Amino acid sequence: PPGKKVLIVYAHQEPKSFNGSLKNVAVEELSKQGCSVTVSDLYAMQFEPRATRNDIVGRLHNSEEFNYVVEAGEAYKRGALAKDIIEEQKKVQEADLLIFQFPLYWFSMPAIMKGWIDRVLVRGFAFEIPKVYDAGLFKDKLALLSFTTGGSKEVYTKGSISGDIRYILWPMQHGIMHFCGVKVLAPHICYAPEFVSEKERKEMLVAWAQRLKTLWKEEPINCSAEWYFE
Amino acid sequence: PPGKKVLIVYAHQEPKSFNGSLKNVAVEELSKQGCSVTVSDLYAMQFEPRATRNDIVGRLHNSEEFNYVVEAGEAYKRGALAKDIIEEQKKVQEADLLIFQFPLYWFSMPAIMKGWIDRVLVRGFAFEIPKVYDAGLFKDKLALLSFTTGGSKEVYTKGSISGDIRYILWPMQHGIMHFCGVKVLAPHICYAPEFVSEKERKEMLVAWAQRLKTLWKEEPINCSAEWYFE
C-alpha cells in the first residue's frame, strides 16, 4: 500500500538472469502499489562480504584481541562503523519489508549475501541479548526469502535425498530473521527455472507479481521448529 | 597416521582467538602424528568470497547471459579458473581430511568461508550430476566441522528456542560435504568459549587434542535426514 517501504537485497551477477527478472517484477509491482522500493544490488555494489577490522573506523575497544561481534557492536554505539554498513543499516531501519532475492548456493545464500547479513546486522542495531526472537528489535518488520534452485521441487521433499526445503530455510528464516524479531512471510521459491520452458518461466514471473498484489494481507508463518521439522 | 594429508580451512580474524588456538592445536597434534597439514587461513589470505566473472580467465562460454555455475564448470574443464581457486582445489584434491574451523555466524559459517565453498567446489571438480551424495566425487575424503558458538549448549537443544544444533548442521554437512560424497565425522563444537573460565577454555583445547589422537579410527556419522531430525 502507499507509503510502505521495501528493501530488496538482491544477489545475482547478471541483470538478464531469472533472479534479475524476479527482482524487476517486485520493483515494478510494489512501486505500482505506491510503495517506496530500494534495491541493494550486491554484486553491482561490489559489496564487501568479509567481516574485518576495516569495518571499524578509528580505535578498537580491545586492540589486543580482535573480536568482530564485540567491536562491531561497540562501533555501532559510537557511530564508527564503515560507511557501507551504515548505509545499509539506514535502508533496513526504514524498511517495513525486506525481500531477499537470490539463487540458492549450497543449501544457503550466496556468500556475498551472507556477508551482508554478517556485517549489517550488528549487535545493538539488529539484536541485543535478550531482545531476540519474538522480543526482537525488528518486530515491526516483515521479511520474505525469494530464491531459485537448481534442483526440482521433487528433489526438495521430505524423504528425498536433499530433504524438505524447509530444513534449508531454518538457519535463514529462524536463525537470522526471526532472531532479530522480524516476522517471516512464506518463502517464494522458483524451482529449477533453468530447466523449464520459456513459457513456464514467464508463468513463474506472473505468479510472483500476483502474489505481491496481496502480499500485505498475508499472515506471517509460525516461525518455530514445528513449521520446519514436523 | 603418517602420510595422511589434512587441509584446515580456517576463518578467524584474530590469531590469538580461541578459534586460532583450536586451529593451532590441530596443526600441532596432527603434525605430531606424521600427517601433512595445510592451513588455508582465509582472512590472512584476504580470500575473495564473491563469485564473479573475475573467476573465469579469458572468454566466457556464454557472454550474453552470465551463469556462474555453468561458467565456473566450463572454466574448470579447460583449466581457466582464477589462480586462487585452482590453488585451493589442489589442496582439496590432495587432502584425506578437511577440517573447517570457524565461529558460528548466524546459524552458519562466516561469509568468507561460504565464499570458499561457493568458489572452490566447482561443478566437475567437486560434483557432477548424478555423481553426488554417496556416489559423490570425494567419497574417499573425510570432513569435520569444528566451530565455536556464542550461545550455550542449552540454547541449542531440541525444544529450546534456537533448536537442536543438528538443524544448523544439515546445510553444511549434508548440503555441502555429503553432496560432494565426503564422509562426515561428528562435529566438534565448543559452546560459548567467551563466557566460560580460562580453565574451562584450556580443558576444551585439551579435549580437542585428545579427540584428534583417535580421529582416524572414528566412524563417519550416518549423514541422512534421520541423524539430523529424528
Side-chain angles (χ1 to χ4, degrees):
Chain A
K4 289 285 188 188
K5 287 181 179 166
V6 183
L7 171 60
I8 303 178
V9 184
Y10 163 68
H12 202 289
Q13 304 90 346
E14 172 61 61
K16 289 185 236 166
S17 65
F18 191 69
N19 271 275
S21 299
L22 287 163
K23 182 260 293 170
N24 292 341
V25 162
V27 172
E28 203 175 312
E29 172 56 34
L30 293 165
S31 302
K32 213 190 289 176
Q33 295 175 15
C35 299
S36 142
V37 185
T38 304
V39 177
S40 285
D41 182 343
L42 302 181
Y43 287 103
M45 294 156 77
Q46 299 185 46
F47 190 80
E48 172 62 72
R50 291 164 290 206
T52 71
R53 198 258 172 261
N54 298 335
D55 289 351
I56 291 97
V57 177
R59 281 211 200 150
L60 293 176
H61 180 69
N62 175 5
S63 58
E64 287 299 304
E65 193 181 321
F66 182 76
N67 179 319
Y68 186 81
V69 176
V70 170
E71 293 295 343
E74 292 295 325
Y76 172 72
K77 281 196 273 185
R78 61 174 205 277
L81 284 167
K83 199 164 147 277
D84 64 334
I85 298 177
I86 293 176
E87 281 173 16
E88 294 306 301
Q89 289 181 339
K90 274 187 203 151
K91 298 179 195 172
V92 172
Q93 196 62 67
E94 293 185 357
D96 299 296
L97 166 66
L98 308 169
I99 296 177
F100 294 86
Q101 181 65 56
F102 60 99
L104 195 69
Y105 277 11
W106 293 106
F107 278 37
S108 185
M109 46 180 64
I112 198 168
M113 184 176 276
K114 182 56 164 56
W116 186 94
I117 300 291
D118 291 349
R119 298 178 62 234
V120 175
L121 302 183
V122 167
R123 180 148 94 193
F125 171 67
F127 67 97
E128 185 74 88
I129 312 288
K131 291 182 192 155
V132 294
Y133 294 115
D134 292 344
L137 299 177
F138 290 162
K139 57 182 180 295
D140 295 326
K141 298 184 193 300
L142 295 167
L144 187 164
L145 304 187
S146 174
F147 60 95
T148 60
T149 67
S152 66
K153 192 167 182 176
E154 291 67 42
V155 167
Y156 294 107
T157 48
K158 213 167 181 169
S160 82
I161 181 75
S162 292
D164 196 315
I165 193 79
R166 293 191 178 192
Y167 300 163
I168 293 175
L169 297 170
W170 171 259
M172 298 186 279
Q173 291 189 350
H174 184 75
I176 302 171
M177 292 299 124
H178 190 192
F179 187 80
C180 298
V182 178
K183 307 277 189 300
V184 178
L185 297 176
H188 200 84
I189 308 170
C190 292
Y191 289 97
E194 283 181 73
F195 304 109
V196 303
S197 66
E198 187 59 34
K199 179 165 169 286
E200 283 170 281
R201 270 195 296 278
K202 283 197 178 137
E203 286 167 359
M204 286 177 177
L205 295 176
V206 170
W208 178 221
Q210 278 301 120
R211 180 174 172 195
L212 290 166
K213 284 187 203 304
T214 53
L215 194 77
W216 301 97
K217 293 177 188 162
E218 288 186 19
E219 281 295 313
I221 65 163
N222 166 24
C223 194
S224 68
E226 292 73 43
W227 190 85
Y228 297 88
F229 307 116
E230 276 173 24
Chain B
K4 289 285 188 187
K5 289 181 176 163
V6 182
L7 172 60
I8 303 178
V9 183
Y10 163 68
H12 202 286
Q13 304 90 347
E14 172 59 63
K16 289 185 235 166
S17 65
F18 192 69
N19 271 275
S21 300
L22 288 164
K23 181 261 291 170
N24 292 341
V25 162
V27 171
E28 204 175 308
E29 172 55 35
L30 293 165
S31 302
K32 213 190 287 174
Q33 295 175 15
C35 299
S36 144
V37 184
T38 304
V39 177
S40 286
D41 182 343
L42 301 182
Y43 287 104
M45 295 157 77
Q46 299 185 44
F47 189 80
E48 171 63 71
R50 291 164 287 205
T52 71
R53 198 259 173 257
N54 298 336
D55 290 351
I56 290 98
V57 177
R59 281 213 200 147
L60 293 176
H61 180 70
N62 176 6
S63 58
E64 286 300 303
E65 194 181 317
F66 182 76
N67 178 318
Y68 186 82
V69 176
V70 169
E71 293 295 342
E74 293 294 324
Y76 172 72
K77 281 197 271 183
R78 59 173 208 275
L81 284 167
K83 197 163 150 279
D84 65 333
I85 298 177
I86 292 176
E87 281 173 16
E88 294 306 301
Q89 289 182 337
K90 276 187 197 147
K91 299 178 194 172
V92 172
Q93 194 63 66
E94 292 186 356
D96 298 298
L97 167 64
L98 308 169
I99 295 178
F100 294 86
Q101 182 64 57
F102 60 98
L104 196 68
Y105 277 11
W106 294 106
F107 279 38
S108 186
M109 45 181 66
I112 199 169
M113 185 175 275
K114 182 54 163 55
W116 186 94
I117 300 291
D118 290 349
R119 296 179 63 234
V120 174
L121 302 183
V122 166
R123 180 148 94 194
F125 171 67
F127 67 98
E128 185 72 270
I129 313 289
K131 290 181 193 158
V132 293
Y133 292 115
D134 292 344
L137 299 176
F138 291 161
K139 58 181 180 294
D140 296 326
K141 297 185 193 302
L142 294 167
L144 188 164
L145 304 188
S146 174
F147 60 95
T148 60
T149 67
S152 67
K153 191 168 182 174
E154 291 67 44
V155 167
Y156 294 108
T157 48
K158 213 167 179 167
S160 84
I161 180 74
S162 291
D164 195 316
I165 191 80
R166 292 191 180 192
Y167 300 164
I168 292 175
L169 297 170
W170 170 259
M172 297 187 279
Q173 292 189 352
H174 184 76
I176 302 171
M177 291 300 126
H178 190 191
F179 187 80
C180 298
V182 178
K183 307 277 190 298
V184 178
L185 297 175
H188 200 83
I189 308 169
C190 292
Y191 290 97
E194 283 180 73
F195 305 107
V196 303
S197 67
E198 186 59 32
K199 180 167 169 287
E200 285 171 282
R201 271 194 294 278
K202 282 195 179 140
E203 287 167 359
M204 285 178 178
L205 294 176
V206 170
W208 178 221
Q210 278 302 120
R211 180 175 172 195
L212 289 166
K213 285 188 203 302
T214 53
L215 194 78
W216 301 96
K217 293 176 186 161
E218 287 186 19
E219 281 294 314
I221 66 163
N222 167 25
C223 194
S224 66
E226 291 73 41
W227 190 86
Y228 296 87
F229 307 115
E230 276 173 25

